[in-house]
């Protein structure tokens, strides 16, 4: 049986008031809340779809408070290297690459397509950071906890260190999740990824609160 030190503390993770963050220093990053991971396609998961209302609420609140947002969208050419280990998904030109309609209706974000599991390896995102040096805090949500979310968080943390510009990276546990599949129990891999992120200096919270 796995012994994950975080497990007994999961119910006691703190909440974070959105009002405690300075909008000019904060960025919301949404990982892969696209049709191909939530609604239909080879890698669609109901666990990801279930995140949509709460992420939509956070996006709406950030938009109201003037907190900018970036939404990564998995988008692959037909010869994507990733297809050697994952089923074909989010192929360029298909609706699977589209941000979920509920989030599109809210808007207030920049879409960055990505052809790997790690959004930090796009050209656009590091460029965004370089042109927004005031950004110090990143609130990170979306899917999947143990793949795209974790890889992005760990790489951003290391990138900030190399720039002597440390980032406060905040992951609300209720706003990220992963999938169930053969050899991949969602609850287990979700918890393991959160543990690894916390050990790397990422701040885990239970949820974001709004207003009084």
């Amino acid at each position: 049986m796995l012994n994950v030190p975080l497990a007994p503390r999961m119910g006691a993770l703190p909440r974070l008031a959105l009002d405690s963050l300075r909008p000019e220093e904060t960025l919301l990053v949404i990982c892969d809340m696209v049709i191909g991971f939530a609604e239909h396609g080879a890698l669609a998961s109901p666990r990801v779809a279930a995140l949509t209302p709460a992420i939509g609420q956070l996006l709406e609140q950030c938009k109201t408070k003037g907190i900018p947002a970036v939404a990564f969208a998995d988008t692959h050419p037909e010869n994507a290297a990733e297809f050697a280990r994952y089923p074909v998904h989010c192929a360029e030109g298909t609706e699977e690459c589209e941000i979920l309609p509920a989030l599109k209706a809210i808007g207030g974000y920049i879409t960055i397509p990505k052809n790997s599991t790690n959004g930090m390896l796009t050209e656009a995102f590091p460029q965004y950071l370089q042109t927004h040096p005031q950004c110090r805090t990143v609130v990170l949500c979306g899917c999947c906890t143990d793949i795209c979310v974790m890889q992005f968080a760990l790489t951003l943390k290391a990138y900030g260190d190399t720039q002597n510009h440390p980032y406060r990276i905040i992951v609300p546990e209720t706003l990220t999740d992963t999938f169930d599949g053969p050899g991949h129990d969602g609850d287990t891999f979700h918890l393991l990824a959160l543990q690894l992120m916390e050990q790397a200096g990422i701040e885990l919270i239970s949820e974001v609160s709004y207003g009084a």
Side-chain angles (χ1 to χ4, degrees), residues 80-126:
E82 213 176 270
F83 295 163
R85 61 189 189 281
Y86 294 111
V88 174
H89 63 281
C90 298
E92 195 171 18
T94 69
E95 69 171 0
E96 286 189 24
C97 307
E98 297 293 321
I99 300 295
L100 290 169
L103 303 182
K104 266 192 175 180
I106 298 167
Y109 58 85
I110 298 167
T111 303
I112 298 181
K114 64 181 182 65
N115 183 32
S116 82
T117 52
N118 193 336
M120 275 298 299
L121 301 184
T122 61
E123 290 185 13
F125 190 77

Side-chain angles (χ1 to χ4, degrees), residues 156-173:
L156 176 60
K157 178 62 77 173
Y159 174 84
D161 289 347
T162 66
Q163 303 295 314
N164 288 319
H165 185 93
Y167 291 96
R168 179 188 183 191
I169 305 170
I170 302 167
V171 175
E173 185 273 327

